[in-house]
């Protein structure tokens, strides 16, 4: 049986088109799932999370001049603070807190 090839890319390497597509597709599902699931779990509007992550990603790419490929999405680390902020000050407090922490 042939040994599996291990793909190793350096920082400045570009993957082959099919590898690039497969990795991009994997990243899409991982980040989209998290960006939708976190707002759903804390009972906030997923549309706000999607537009915020999109705008944040565009700003990040402009600031780094596209040298760092990244997508900025939701984080499961913020679930507890969002729930606490909602309990203390309502949905508005949670949204303002999320916005400020993003800045």
């Amino acid at each position: 049986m042939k040994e599996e090839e291990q793909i190793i890319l350096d920082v400045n390497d570009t993957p082959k088109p099919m590898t690039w597509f497969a990795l991009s597709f994997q990243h899409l599902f991982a980040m989209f799932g998290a960006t939708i699931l976190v707002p759903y779990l804390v009972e906030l509007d997923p549309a706000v999370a999607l537009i915020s992550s999109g705008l944040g990603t565009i700003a990040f790419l402009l600031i780094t001049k596209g040298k760092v490929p990244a997508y900025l999405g939701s984080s499961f680390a913020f679930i507890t603070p969002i729930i606490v902020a909602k309990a203390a000050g309502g949905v508005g407090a949670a949204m303002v807190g999320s916005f400020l922490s993003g800045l």
Side-chain angles (χ1 to χ4, degrees):
M1 185 171 185
K2 184 180 168 183
E3 250 184 70
E4 288 186 33
E5 283 187 39
Q6 195 172 16
I7 300 171
I8 299 175
L9 297 174
D10 198 2
V11 173
N12 293 317
D13 291 346
T14 302
K16 295 177 184 171
M18 285 309 294
T19 303
W20 177 85
F21 180 75
L23 293 172
S24 298
F25 202 61
Q26 174 194 12
H27 193 70
L28 171 74
F29 277 103
M31 294 308 297
F32 185 77
T35 302
I36 295 298
L37 185 58
V38 171
Y40 178 75
L41 291 174
V42 296
E43 298 175 345
L44 294 175
D45 189 2
V48 174
L50 283 172
I51 192 73
S52 299
S53 68
L55 292 173
T57 299
I58 290 169
F60 179 83
L61 292 173
L62 290 173
I63 291 167
T64 62
K65 297 179 182 156
K67 292 183 181 180
V68 182
Y71 170 77
L72 307 178
S74 299
S75 172
F76 288 90
F78 291 102
I79 290 177
T80 301
I82 290 172
I83 291 171
V84 170
K86 278 180 61 180
V91 175
M95 297 296 274
V96 169
S98 296
F99 177 76
L100 293 175
S101 67
L103 284 178

